[in-house]
Amino acid sequence: MVTELQSLRYTPAGIPVVEFRLAHASERAEAGATRKVNAEIDAVAFEAQARLLAGGKLGRLLKAEGFLCAKNRRSKKPVLHVTNIEFMEGN
Amino acid sequence: MWRKENGNICNAKAHPLRMRVLRIALDVPVAKIFEYLIDGATPVEPGDRVEVPFGARPRVGVVVEIAAASSVAASKLKRVERVLDGAPRLPAEWLEQMRFLSSYYQRPFGETVAGALPARLRSLKPLPKRAKSAADNASEKAQPPVGGHAPNPAQARAIESISVALGAFRPFLLHGITGSGKTEVYLRVIAQVLARGLQALVLVPEIGLTPQLEARFRRAFPSSHIAVLHSALEDTARTHAWLDAARGDASIILGTRLAVLTPLPRLGIVVVDEEHDASFKQQEGLRYSGRDAAVLRAKLAGCPVVLGSATPSLETWFNGGAGRYTLLTLPERAVPGARLPTVRTVDLRLESAENGLAKQVLEAISARLARGEQSLVFINRRGYAPVLACESCGWAAGCTRCSARLVLHASAERGREPGAGSLRCHHCGARENVPRACPTCGNVDLRPLGRGTQRVEETLAVLFPAARILRIDRDTARKRAALARTLDGIGRGEGDILVGTQLLAKGHDFPNLTLVCVLNADNALLSTDYRSAERLFALLAQVGGRAGRREQPGEVLVQTRYPAHPMFRALMRHDYAGFAASQLAEREGAGFPPFVHEAALRAEAKKVDSAMMFLRAAARLLEVPASVQIYDPVPHLITRRAGVERAQLLLQSHSRPALQEFLRLWSAALPASSSSGVRWHLDVDPIEFD
């Protein structure tokens, strides 16, 4: 689910970028129990994925695929670089 | 024998059968005057241009002397092809000026002479013809009154002092605050010079930047022939202007530094406006100071020279203090009621400046917008951002030919469409596309760091959507005519917010401008160049001086992290004299000009090691007199420029003659530039060290 969404911007080379925040909620098996999973992570998407997200509503459910990468040289905080998006039905 | 016959040749002045020896300056890079023969019948004098055979092709030379004899056997000398006419003979006084410049700036005489002539006079092509227009014959006598306000008491005193000095050499320093009406003083003195039937030479930093000044001269002297001379003129126009000046047809010569090299048969006054400006120093070929050449010129012509500035160079101020120049002061603004603007610093340590503009600054701009007044946002850096960087790995876009960063430029139009930007090198002019991704780590999200005029313009357009924003920098002002129109428009009140570089700082008079905001003054404060404080003070006083030139008071806001810096304190008090005194004390203590005289030997090579090696060898080449000090060679701060690596060494001396004498011997002893893959030049009284 998208919980924060910045407006679409362009890199100096003209590539569209959008920065956003994703929230995740699910249930997973862990050490013999079923536990609730909650997490949030900063994310970024480029080009087609950026355009798909841009201007959309918050709270949409989606399936995101991508990789983790440090925010920058100073902060090793992971950012999810979304390379594929699938919006869930019914949104 | 040739030698024995000489006496006769001289006495029998133009015996048709006897040959005479002409000593001729040719445009070749050796310190040598060439000798040729000419028959006795052809009329020829020093200052004539002649066609001579030289190597494979004929060349144009200038006769500097008709010699009694040659040290070479006459049979070895070639004959002059013909004496060129069409242009006036170069006067003795002009040749004397060339001799001085050649010897002082250590450049071969022939090259000095050739460099001072427009291209057409150096070529064998016939001079361009022009029908004489009515304006050329305009009478100089019927001068209308100059117009404008009656001079205030300080202006009147300055006009009077210069006027009584007409007819003899005397240097004046006209120190007038911004908007104090220096131009009015020039105009009124020039009117008197013209009334005597003499010529006036007026030097300005950059003619393209001062179209208002030219227009003002034309309004003041509608019936006078004004010749405009600058390097951007196309060949024919420049030749015509030069010829008009040299023939004495033009009574006012308005131009950049090169105008000081024009022969003027009836020179009655020399004016150097904004005399502190660095553009008066030529940075290639004959590396002369247009200002110093102007003083020499006036001396040779026996007329006054007026150096005008709100912030004189410390050299000139020092000369004024030492009594070598007569100091004239204009302490008040010329328009009655107009005052110098209030100058305040905005402390960036206390106030965050989102997008580079502090809240105070934005509020001040809002207030001007509400009152229908103009604001100027000054940032001395063109382009979008000075650095394009990768925040993931630390890469920054650099020039392949220079040791410098590439500057990010957005596409020309505002509301930029994505992807049209480019990277440009401000040192060599190289231009490339913005890379899609970091070449080191592949990160696509490259970031512009810092701010240039384009980015500030973009920010202001978002913050003040209803305001008319005009950006004026070298990118928007490629065409002189377009710039002149824009500046004219601003003068009439077009544009609410002006974003500009130092193009906007110089001399312009914008009546409706009441606010000047300075964004990146700190860069210059942190420079290692001992002239940087002097230059920053001059620049800020100049740009601040654009504000409040009429009845409405002006305000200047300077964003800085160093509000306590003495330079800002002096600026706030409008205390040039105090600032100059403290700078001079520092220079004296540290042993910098004007307390010592300097020269730089610079070397350029493929690799900086070769340049350094050359300089080390050069330093040991001759015995250096005790009165001259040679420092160790150092690479330039920007070592590599346009594919060439550079290093320099500095010489200092308390004695100008001692330094000059050493330079003369030294430049003769240094190997020719081409020999070792190292090119060198000497810069006497250097002002740039980067």
Side-chain angles (χ1 to χ4, degrees):
Chain A
M1 187 172 74
V2 180
T3 58
E4 282 170 32
L5 183 63
Q6 292 186 12
S7 50
L8 189 74
R9 61 178 174 83
Y10 292 89
T11 72
I15 299 164
V17 193
V18 71
E19 288 174 76
F20 55 104
R21 197 166 166 80
L22 278 179
H24 167 90
S26 65
E27 287 185 350
R28 289 288 160 115
E30 184 181 53
T34 301
R35 70 156 298 165
K36 287 196 164 84
V37 179
N38 275 301
E40 279 199 16
I41 190 165
D42 285 331
V44 63
F46 296 87
E47 297 195 298
Q49 281 68 36
R51 289 209 173 87
L52 267 177
L53 283 160
K57 291 183 301 233
L58 297 182
R60 294 171 95 188
L61 291 176
L62 57 83
K63 197 167 139 190
E65 220 178 288
F67 57 89
L68 291 174
C69 181
K71 188 176 167 66
N72 56 41
R73 274 204 304 171
R74 291 175 301 281
S75 164
K76 295 299 164 203
K77 201 170 112 183
V79 175
L80 181 65
H81 288 238
V82 176
T83 53
N84 194 28
I85 293 174
E86 239 177 88
F87 287 105
M88 310 303 278
E89 305 227 350
N91 296 267
Chain B
M1 298 293 288
W2 182 250
R3 275 185 177 278
K4 284 188 180 164
E5 287 174 2
N6 271 325
N8 296 336
I9 290 169
C10 283
N11 294 337
K13 202 176 172 190
H15 192 286
L17 298 176
R18 301 263 165 77
M19 300 301 280
R20 290 169 292 171
V21 176
L22 297 186
R23 295 169 58 75
I24 291 173
L26 288 175
D27 185 10
V28 288
V30 288
K32 190 182 164 190
I33 301 289
F34 295 85
E35 296 187 333
Y36 287 87
L37 295 176
I38 192 164
D39 64 63
T42 311
V44 66
E45 294 288 338
D48 277 330
R49 293 178 313 126
V50 290
E51 178 184 336
V52 296
F54 187 89
R57 60 185 184 91
R59 282 179 187 251
V60 172
V62 171
V63 180
V64 290
E65 200 183 330
I66 302 177
S70 170
S71 52
V72 180
S75 60
K76 288 197 174 161
L77 295 180
K78 290 180 182 159
R79 284 187 177 217
V80 166
E81 215 50 62
R82 65 193 168 105
V83 178
L84 301 167
D85 53 13
R89 178 173 291 147
L90 297 160
E93 180 191 307
W94 186 85
L95 288 172
E96 185 54 35
Q97 183 191 10
M98 294 303 131
R99 256 180 226 114
F100 181 89
L101 294 177
S102 155
S103 118
Y104 187 81
Y105 292 107
Q106 309 294 332
R107 184 158 174 87
F109 184 69
E111 283 186 309
T112 305
V113 166
L117 296 174
R120 280 300 273 273
L121 276 92
R122 279 178 271 149
S123 83
L124 289 163
K125 280 196 286 181
L127 297 176
K129 292 256 185 310
R130 177 169 65 170
K132 276 228 159 197
S133 69
D136 293 341
N137 299 321
S139 156
E140 302 291 353
K141 299 215 174 71
Q143 285 300 334
V146 174
H149 300 273
N152 63 31
Q155 285 176 313
R157 271 196 302 278
I159 295 163
E160 173 64 19
S161 304
I162 304 166
S163 300
V164 300
L166 291 179
F169 171 64
R170 186 155 167 204
F172 291 94
L173 165 55
L174 180 62
H175 177 224
I177 61 166
T178 56
S180 63
K182 291 185 285 293
T183 309
E184 189 68 24
V185 172
Y186 307 150
L187 291 175
R188 290 190 184 252
V189 172
I190 288 169
Q192 298 187 34
V193 169
L194 299 189
R196 294 179 175 211
L198 300 176
Q199 292 173 295
L201 170 64
V202 181
L203 302 180
V204 294
E206 285 169 66
I207 196 90
L209 309 183
T210 48
Q212 282 185 335
L213 190 67
E214 186 186 337
R216 197 147 163 214
F217 269 80
R218 294 203 185 277
R219 275 201 308 278
F221 304 107
S223 63
S224 294
H225 183 156
I226 300 177
V228 175
L229 269 167
H230 54 78
S231 57
L233 284 179
E234 54 100 11
D235 222 23
T236 309
R238 187 173 159 198
T239 306
H240 279 310
W242 193 93
L243 287 171
D244 289 347
R247 288 188 181 120
D249 293 342
S251 47
I252 298 174
I253 295 84
L254 183 61
T256 52
R257 59 172 185 259
L258 61 87
V260 80
L261 306 177
T262 315
L264 299 165
R266 296 179 283 112
L267 184 56
I269 192 160
V270 183
V271 171
V272 184
D273 191 30
E274 310 288 0
E275 69 83 32
H276 63 277
D277 198 280
S279 75
F280 281 118
K281 172 84 169 153
Q282 170 131 319
Q283 300 294 357
E284 58 182 22
L286 179 73
R287 291 174 161 78
Y288 67 101
S289 152
R291 177 198 58 219
D292 296 347
V295 175
L296 166 74
R297 190 65 198 272
K299 195 170 187 174
L300 290 170
C303 71
V305 53
V306 182
L307 308 178
S309 177
T311 50
S313 67
L314 288 179
E315 285 83 354
T316 300
W317 187 251
F318 181 68
N319 278 330
R324 280 189 284 273
Y325 297 170
T326 306
L327 178 65
L328 305 170
T329 309
L330 305 179
E332 278 168 28
R333 285 202 153 175
V335 173
R339 291 170 186 287
L340 279 174
T342 317
V343 180
R344 284 195 291 127
T345 51
V346 177
D347 190 343
L348 287 183
R349 293 167 309 176
L350 305 178
E351 204 174 335
S352 71
E354 204 189 339
N355 302 313
L357 296 155
K359 196 160 144 259
Q360 271 189 63
V361 165
L362 295 175
E363 283 168 0
I365 294 173
S366 291
R368 295 318 184 285
L369 285 171
R371 291 206 295 267
E373 295 169 6
Q374 290 167 308
S375 309
L376 163 60
V377 177
F378 176 80
I379 172 161
N380 211 7
R381 188 193 276 148
R382 65 194 169 89
Y384 188 81
V387 182
L388 176 70
C390 171
E391 295 192 335
S392 288
C393 73
W395 171 87
C399 179
T400 51
R401 306 168 67 220
C402 306
S403 35
R405 297 268 165 79
L406 290 170
V407 177
L408 178 65
H409 284 248
S411 67
E413 269 109 276
R414 203 189 303 157
R416 63 203 180 103
E417 66 270 34
S422 62
L423 289 170
R424 296 185 209 168
C425 178
H426 285 192
H427 297 275
C428 75
R431 193 173 171 145
E432 52 187 72
N433 291 332
V434 178
R436 268 185 63 85
C438 172
T440 314
C441 76
N443 172 24
V444 174
D445 200 6
L446 298 174
R447 299 295 181 109
L449 299 184
R451 251 163 296 277
T453 48
Q454 284 183 320
R455 195 169 193 179
V456 171
E457 179 191 22
E458 182 187 84
T459 304
L460 288 167
V462 171
L463 295 171
F464 303 106
R468 299 166 300 169
I469 301 175
L470 285 177
R471 174 165 61 88
I472 292 106
D473 55 31
R474 213 145 31 93
D475 298 316
T476 65
R478 291 247 176 259
K479 295 218 169 68
R480 267 154 214 279
L483 174 63
R485 270 198 305 279
T486 310
L487 293 174
D488 235 36
I490 297 171
R492 286 194 309 272
E494 282 170 20
D496 301 312
I497 305 175
L498 320 172
V499 178
T501 58
Q502 59 186 357
L503 268 194
L504 275 181
K506 289 176 186 171
H508 310 297
D509 190 20
F510 304 134
N512 197 37
L513 184 78
T514 58
L515 173 67
V516 171
C517 309
V518 179
L519 300 196
N520 63 341
D522 288 352
N523 294 349
L525 278 185
L526 304 175
S527 162
T528 54
D529 186 337
Y530 63 81
R531 279 191 172 84
S532 65
E534 174 188 358
R535 287 194 183 143
L536 184 61
F537 186 92
L539 182 60
L540 296 184
Q542 283 291 329
V543 70
R546 301 312 105 209
R549 292 167 75 94
R550 294 299 186 275
E551 290 73 17
Q552 308 100 313
E555 185 179 20
V556 180
L557 297 176
V558 185
Q559 295 189 167
T560 177
R561 303 185 70 80
Y562 310 96
H565 196 287
M567 200 274 308
F568 289 128
R569 298 282 130 199
L571 196 69
M572 288 162 82
R573 293 193 309 268
H574 301 289
D575 182 14
Y576 169 79
F579 173 72
S582 70
Q583 283 288 305
L584 284 173
E586 275 182 33
R587 298 257 186 110
E588 187 168 21
F592 283 128
F595 298 93
V596 297
H597 306 287
E598 290 185 339
L601 175 66
R602 305 209 179 92
E604 302 183 338
K606 278 231 163 61
K607 289 282 157 220
V608 71
D609 293 349
S610 327
M612 291 288 285
M613 215 149 67
F614 171 87
L615 293 175
R616 278 189 213 106
R620 291 191 304 263
L621 193 60
L622 295 183
E623 195 182 329
V624 183
S627 54
V628 174
Q629 190 164 11
I630 295 194
Y631 290 89
D632 287 337
V634 284
H636 281 64
L637 213 54
I638 295 169
T639 306
R640 198 173 147 81
R641 195 173 67 186
V644 174
E645 301 196 344
R646 310 165 310 151
Q648 60 188 338
L649 66 74
L650 186 69
L651 295 89
Q652 285 188 337
S653 177
H654 285 280
S655 156
R656 205 191 286 273
L659 181 61
Q660 279 285 316
E661 176 59 13
F662 178 71
L663 291 177
R664 194 178 60 77
L665 298 170
W666 204 33
S667 61
L670 287 165
S673 254
S674 51
S675 61
S676 53
V678 177
R679 289 168 51 84
W680 61 268
H681 70 257
L682 278 168
D683 189 354
V684 180
D685 304 332
I687 61 168
E688 303 278 358
F689 295 99
D690 61 335

